[in-house]
C-alpha cells in the first residue's frame, strides 16, 4: 500500500497548492482568514493547538492541517475562484469525496482490494480530466 500512499500524498498536496496559490494570488496574504470557511479554520486551529501541546514540530501552512473533506469545503466556498481551473463543481466534489473514502483505507493502514486499486487509479485520472 506504500505506493498508493505516495500517490495520495502527492495528490492531496497538489490540491493544497492549487488552493493556496490561487487564493493568495487573488486575495493576498490574508486569504486564509478571508476565504476559508469558519468551520475549517476552527478545525485547523484545534489541530494546531493539539500539535502545539505535543513534541511534534509545528507546521507553518494551515492547509497542511486540513483533510480532503475540508479541502472540498474550501473549493466549494470559493467556487468562482476555481471554476476556470476545474470544469465542474459536481465532478470535483464526487471525485474528491470518493478519493477521500479510499484515502481513509490507506491512511489507516488498511489494504485496498484489486477493484479498489483500479478505482483509485481511475479517480486520479478523473481528477486530472476535470481540470482545464
Amino acid at each position: 500500500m506504500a505506493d498508493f500512499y505516495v500517490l495520495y500524498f502527492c495528490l492531496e498536496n497538489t490540491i493544497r497548492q492549487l488552493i493556496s496559490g490561487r487564493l493568495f494570488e487573488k486575495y493576498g496574504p490574508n486569504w486564509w482568514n478571508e476565504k476559508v470557511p469558519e468551520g475549517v479554520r476552527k478545525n485547523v486551529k484545534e489541530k494546531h493547538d493539539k500539535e502545539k501541546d505535543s513534541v511534534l514540530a509545528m507546521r507553518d501552512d494551515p492547509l497542511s492541517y486540513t483533510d480532503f473533506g475540508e479541502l472540498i469545503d474550501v473549493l466549494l466556498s470559493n467556487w468562482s475562484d476555481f471554476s476556470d481551473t476545474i470544469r465542474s463543481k459536481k465532478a470535483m466534489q464526487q471525485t474528491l469525496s470518493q478519493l477521500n473514502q479510499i484515502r481513509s483505507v490507506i491512511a489507516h493502514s488498511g489494504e485496498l482490494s484489486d477493484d479498489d486499486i483500479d478505482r483509485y487509479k481511475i479517480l486520479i485520472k478523473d481528477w486530472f480530466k476535470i481540470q482545464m
Side-chain angles (χ1 to χ4, degrees), residues 79-98:
W79 182 249
S80 63
D81 296 316
F82 295 98
S83 61
D84 66 334
T85 303
I86 303 169
R87 74 176 184 202
S88 164
K89 184 190 304 189
K90 186 174 183 177
M92 176 276 299
Q93 192 170 12
Q94 289 175 338
T95 302
L96 293 184
S97 292
Q98 290 177 56

Side-chain angles (χ1 to χ4, degrees), residues 30-42:
N30 203 30
W31 67 269
W32 177 259
N33 294 318
E34 294 175 7
K35 302 307 290 180
V36 174
E38 184 179 343
V40 173
R41 289 193 324 267
K42 180 180 178 254

Side-chain angles (χ1 to χ4, degrees), residues 78-122:
N78 294 285
W79 182 249
S80 63
D81 296 316
F82 295 98
S83 61
D84 66 334
T85 303
I86 303 169
R87 74 176 184 202
S88 164
K89 184 190 304 189
K90 186 174 183 177
M92 176 276 299
Q93 192 170 12
Q94 289 175 338
T95 302
L96 293 184
S97 292
Q98 290 177 56
L99 280 164
N100 192 40
Q101 290 177 315
I102 291 175
R103 178 219 65 87
S104 183
V105 174
I106 297 167
H108 295 283
S109 302
E111 199 158 321
L112 296 173
S113 69
D114 289 342
D115 287 343
D116 289 339
I117 290 170
D118 291 342
R119 184 173 293 108
Y120 186 49
K121 290 175 181 177
I122 289 169

Side-chain angles (χ1 to χ4, degrees), residues 3-130:
D3 290 342
F4 299 107
Y5 182 82
V6 170
L7 282 173
Y8 155 74
F9 175 88
C10 292
L11 178 67
E12 187 171 11
N13 283 303
T14 299
I15 295 167
R16 286 186 178 115
Q17 290 170 355
L18 170 68
I19 290 170
S20 63
R22 175 61 58 97
L23 294 180
F24 181 85
E25 172 187 306
K26 290 189 145 220
Y27 301 101
N30 203 30
W31 67 269
W32 177 259
N33 294 318
E34 294 175 7
K35 302 307 290 180
V36 174
E38 184 179 343
V40 173
R41 289 193 324 267
K42 180 180 178 254
N43 289 344
V44 164
K45 183 176 179 348
E46 288 172 4
K47 292 172 193 176
H48 179 267
D49 290 348
K50 195 174 195 179
E51 192 169 270
K52 193 174 9 177
D53 291 335
S54 75
V55 296
L56 296 173
M58 301 300 295
R59 292 176 265 177
D60 293 328
D61 181 6
L63 273 181
S64 68
Y65 291 94
T66 57
D67 59 30
F68 251 85
E70 292 164 333
L71 294 174
I72 293 169
D73 290 345
V74 174
L75 288 167
L76 288 174
S77 67
N78 294 285
W79 182 249
S80 63
D81 296 316
F82 295 98
S83 61
D84 66 334
T85 303
I86 303 169
R87 74 176 184 202
S88 164
K89 184 190 304 189
K90 186 174 183 177
M92 176 276 299
Q93 192 170 12
Q94 289 175 338
T95 302
L96 293 184
S97 292
Q98 290 177 56
L99 280 164
N100 192 40
Q101 290 177 315
I102 291 175
R103 178 219 65 87
S104 183
V105 174
I106 297 167
H108 295 283
S109 302
E111 199 158 321
L112 296 173
S113 69
D114 289 342
D115 287 343
D116 289 339
I117 290 170
D118 291 342
R119 184 173 293 108
Y120 186 49
K121 290 175 181 177
I122 289 169
L123 285 166
I124 290 171
K125 288 179 185 177
D126 288 346
W127 171 248
F128 289 108
K129 274 191 227 173
I130 65 172

